[in-house]
Amino acid sequence: MQEGREVRKDRDDREAPPWRQITLFLLTIVILILCAFILQPFFTAIVGAIVLAVVTEVPYNWLSARIPNRTLCATVALILVVLAVIVPGFFLMQELSEHALKAIVSLRNPNAQNLITDYIGNHPALANHIEAFSASIDVNTAARTTATYVGGKAAVILTNSIHFITELVVMLFLLFFLFRDRQIALVGLRSLIPLREDETAELLNRVDDTIYATFLGRLAIALVQGVLAGLAFWVLGVPGVLLWATTLTAFAMIPAFGAFLVWGPIATYLGLNGHWGKAALLVIWGGLIVSTIDNILYPILIGGHLRSHTAIILITILGGIAVFGPLGIILGPVIFSIAASLLDIWQARINQTPSQI
């Protein structure tokens, strides 16, 4: 009886008029677009959860072999991720804020102000430009404009903080279910990909390799850059060596110029405090060693896994950052890897004989 109903259903689907098929297709497209709009505010959280689930697959498998209960295992894994990633990140941001405030205060001390005054006095052209700029400013208007700007930015900062906390909660929520139900998620994903089983397996394996190589490879390179920079900070007597080395490691996840965003301001700080020799040494070490070591390590650690030229990988990362922000570090290479996999699949199908298709 059940088989008879299924046969009639299949026959009805095949004999449905074309306008019904077209309407169903258009309705599906519209609903999928609406779903994309609904999920768009949480795009960062979704991608973050997927990346964390992929890069922690090996330790999670080790943990799941010792904790049979899937819910308990996912809970323990989530707590470990929070302790290993979220909590240190929070304390790092707190320390950076405190040091930024101290740097602002230090620039207001008499020695720093005298140094800046002497520098300006020794450069008459710069002094004339500053004087002309100061004369063109209406103090009252500038004060009102500044107050309006600060007030507007305060509201933006509050809104962004709430949005950040919401995305963090959503990311951890999704990560829990990706830990617990990853096999169900993979089965569902495979069913949606319109490729043969072997092609689907190749595509997903390539995406996994890309995420692993991009995230873990860049992390390894960033750690090396952090150690090299921390050594320089320690030798040059920079206060807060561990903090700045850790900060440089985080920023070095951005290729090409990420490390400079940390050692550059520190070199400037050393110079403004009269340590021009130390500043010059840091510029030389940072420019020739810290910021260029990734050009040597990147092809060794990552290039082979991504099966792409180093220049192409760099462009996809920088282009991904330009389009998606920090997430582009992962999304740029992943999207390029998916495109390359699909082109390979098309090439393989074209090269097949008609009898093989």
Side-chain angles (χ1 to χ4, degrees):
M1 192 72 178
Q2 180 66 25
E3 292 179 359
R5 284 197 295 267
E6 291 179 356
V7 170
R8 286 196 300 272
K9 179 178 178 297
D10 292 339
R11 186 173 62 250
D12 291 341
D13 289 340
R14 289 194 300 268
E15 295 175 355
W19 70 268
R20 286 182 178 271
Q21 300 288 349
I22 296 173
T23 302
L24 176 61
F25 174 78
L26 293 177
L27 179 61
T28 304
I29 294 297
V30 170
I31 294 299
L32 289 176
I33 292 174
L34 290 177
C35 289
F37 277 110
I38 293 172
L39 295 177
Q40 190 272 333
F42 307 106
F43 182 66
T44 302
I46 294 170
V47 174
I50 293 173
V51 169
L52 285 174
V54 171
V55 299
T56 58
E57 181 179 2
V58 173
Y60 181 79
N61 289 339
W62 179 88
L63 188 66
S64 62
R66 288 155 179 79
I67 306 178
N69 187 288
R70 290 190 301 141
T71 301
L72 179 59
C73 183
T75 303
V76 173
L78 188 66
I79 293 173
L80 292 176
V81 168
V82 171
L83 293 177
V85 179
I86 307 300
V87 174
F90 172 78
F91 283 112
L92 177 62
M93 293 302 297
Q94 187 179 33
E95 286 292 324
L96 285 176
S97 300
E98 292 179 1
H99 276 72
L101 182 60
K102 290 179 180 178
I104 294 173
V105 172
S106 68
L107 290 176
R108 298 178 61 183
N109 67 53
N111 292 333
Q113 291 180 359
N114 290 336
L115 183 63
I116 295 173
T117 302
D118 293 340
Y119 180 83
I120 294 174
N122 294 330
H123 297 78
L126 178 61
N128 292 333
H129 285 301
I130 294 176
E131 183 178 357
F133 177 74
S134 301
S136 65
I137 296 177
D138 184 341
V139 177
N140 293 330
T141 302
R144 288 195 297 270
T145 303
T146 302
T148 302
Y149 177 81
V150 171
K153 286 298 180 182
V156 171
I157 291 173
L158 178 61
T159 302
N160 288 340
S161 299
I162 295 173
H163 182 68
F164 173 77
I165 294 173
T166 302
E167 285 205 338
L168 182 61
V169 172
V170 172
M171 184 188 73
L172 295 176
F173 179 79
L174 292 176
L175 183 59
F176 170 81
F177 288 103
L178 287 175
F179 279 148
R180 195 188 71 174
D181 304 322
R182 75 169 59 203
Q183 294 304 322
I184 299 175
L186 283 175
V187 170
L189 179 61
R190 287 174 179 272
S191 68
L192 293 175
I193 297 177
L195 299 173
R196 298 196 306 262
E197 184 62 30
D198 59 325
E199 295 171 339
T200 300
E202 173 62 22
L203 177 63
L204 294 180
N205 287 337
R206 194 158 179 175
V207 170
D208 276 352
D209 287 344
T210 301
I211 294 176
Y212 266 110
T214 305
F215 184 84
L216 297 180
R218 277 241 56 93
L219 180 59
I221 294 172
L223 287 172
V224 172
Q225 291 177 291
V227 170
L228 293 173
L231 179 63
F233 297 156
W234 175 70
V235 171
L236 298 176
V238 176
V241 173
L242 183 59
L243 170 67
W244 295 119
T246 305
T247 304
L248 188 140
T249 299
F251 276 83
M253 291 292 290
I254 303 174
F257 57 85
F260 168 76
L261 296 177
V262 178
W263 66 255
I266 292 178
T268 303
Y269 172 81
L270 290 173
L272 291 176
N273 281 275
H275 304 296
W276 293 107
K278 292 182 178 180
L281 288 174
L282 182 56
V283 169
I284 294 172
W285 181 261
L288 297 181
I289 304 297
V290 176
S291 291
T292 59
I293 192 68
D294 60 340
N295 294 328
I296 300 173
L297 296 179
Y298 204 84
I300 297 173
L301 297 178
I302 299 178
H305 291 281
L306 296 186
R307 291 172 275 181
S308 300
H309 193 276
T310 305
I312 295 176
I313 297 169
L314 178 61
I315 291 173
T316 58
I317 291 177
L318 295 179
I321 293 173
V323 175
F324 300 106
L327 280 179
I329 297 174
I330 303 294
L331 285 180
V334 166
I335 292 174
F336 182 84
S337 180
I338 292 174
S341 297
L342 293 176
L343 290 175
D344 289 344
I345 289 171
W346 278 112
Q347 186 65 40
R349 290 187 176 186
I350 290 172
N351 292 336
Q352 287 177 340
T353 61
S355 61
Q356 293 175 310
I357 298 177

